[in-house]
Amino acid sequence: EVYALIERVAPSDVPVLIQGETGTGKELVARALHENSARRDHRLLAENCAAVPENLLESELFGHKKGAFSGAVEDRPGHFVAADGGTVFLDEIGDMPLPMQAKPLRVLQDGEVRPVGSNATRRVDVRIVAATHRDLPTAARDGAFREDLLFRLNVSTIHLPPLREREGDVARIARGLLPGIAEEVGRPATLSEEALGALKAWRWPGNVRELENELRRAVALSDGTLGIDDLSPRVVAAL
């Protein structure tokens, strides 16, 4: 269902909100939306709104003028200008500080950005794809997220279910990831049935990212065949 929705939504320019727990692959969906759109020959720039302090986030996204603040030694365009014609991916937009939320709203409404320290605006043509693990409607009701921004982002929503709800996917994903991890670590690796059973029994609170890290750890410890002893104790305890 997710793949079919990506295929339908990707060719349009409408904003997309991707919802899902941490590690479910929200950035991969954003990349798929970009690469299957008419914007694929332009840039896709991503920013994690939860990982950058508020004063730096505004500069990263909207740019700044020389002298706008201490350390601003030259003009900087920011993601929205640098990705003109392409896509900007706002990861964890639910963690964007409330005072900042008016700025992407202006891009969505008017297609305009204003760099920090500038009185002039610039028109840009970007598609905004946003992602969050938070319940934005609840955050909007509580006053922690702008309702008007939610309405603008929520034109099309893609929900990524957690790995624990995707019956059968653990085995498929593990087998799909293993060859690349083995090449990365530099040793051959296969999954024993016992280890595969343990992986399928664990609930994966960190979703696909946690599964990938678990396999990477196991490959590093194994002699070529991933056994039960190569897995983390918490995973084994689920058996």
Side-chain angles (χ1 to χ4, degrees):
E1 290 175 0
V2 169
Y3 293 150
L5 187 54
I6 290 171
E7 187 175 0
R8 291 199 303 271
V9 171
S12 73
D13 278 338
V14 299
V16 179
L17 180 62
I18 307 167
Q19 294 181 311
E21 294 179 3
T22 298
T24 49
K26 296 188 289 294
E27 187 166 357
L28 293 177
V29 171
R31 189 168 299 280
L33 289 168
H34 176 75
E35 292 178 353
N36 288 280
S37 75
R39 298 176 179 270
R40 68 178 68 88
D41 294 329
H42 297 273
R43 300 179 75 179
L44 165 67
L45 292 179
E47 192 63 66
N48 188 322
C49 300
V52 182
E54 181 178 355
N55 60 327
L56 294 180
L57 181 61
E58 184 175 6
S59 174
E60 286 294 309
L61 294 178
F62 304 100
H64 62 252
K65 299 296 289 182
K66 179 180 178 180
F69 50 84
S70 177
V73 296
E74 60 183 2
D75 290 356
R76 188 177 187 279
H79 288 357
F80 281 103
V81 172
D84 196 11
T87 305
V88 171
F89 174 50
L90 301 177
D91 196 10
E92 298 303 347
I93 196 168
D95 293 292
M96 178 178 281
L98 192 60
M100 268 282 298
Q101 293 173 19
K103 286 234 167 186
L105 180 62
R106 182 167 188 173
V107 180
L108 286 162
Q109 288 177 335
D110 305 321
E112 293 181 347
V113 297
R114 182 167 63 85
V116 178
S118 174
N119 293 322
T121 60
R122 171 173 172 169
R123 293 197 64 82
V124 293
D125 172 26
V126 293
R127 182 188 199 178
I128 293 181
V129 177
T132 184
H133 71 283
R134 298 192 181 279
D135 182 345
L136 291 189
T138 298
R141 287 194 298 271
D142 293 341
F145 196 83
R146 290 185 65 121
E147 192 174 43
D148 48 2
L149 178 57
L150 174 59
F151 291 152
R152 286 284 181 172
L153 290 171
N154 204 20
V155 176
S156 182
T157 301
I158 297 176
H159 175 70
L160 296 182
L163 188 54
R164 62 184 172 275
E165 294 179 5
R166 295 158 55 179
E167 185 177 355
D169 275 10
V170 170
R172 295 186 184 96
I173 293 172
R175 292 189 177 111
L177 290 173
L178 197 57
I181 292 173
E183 183 177 356
E184 174 191 318
V185 176
R187 63 177 63 183
T190 57
L191 265 172
S192 70
E193 287 302 315
E194 188 180 25
L196 185 59
L199 295 179
K200 289 161 68 175
W202 181 239
R203 286 184 56 79
W204 301 108
N207 294 292
V208 179
R209 186 179 298 133
E210 182 188 3
L211 174 58
E212 183 177 12
N213 290 337
E214 179 68 24
L215 289 171
R216 186 173 287 110
R217 174 188 183 276
V219 170
L221 294 175
S222 76
D223 58 4
T225 300
L226 275 61
I228 200 79
D229 294 334
D230 300 316
L231 301 177
S232 300
R234 71 183 188 285
V235 174
V236 176
L239 286 172

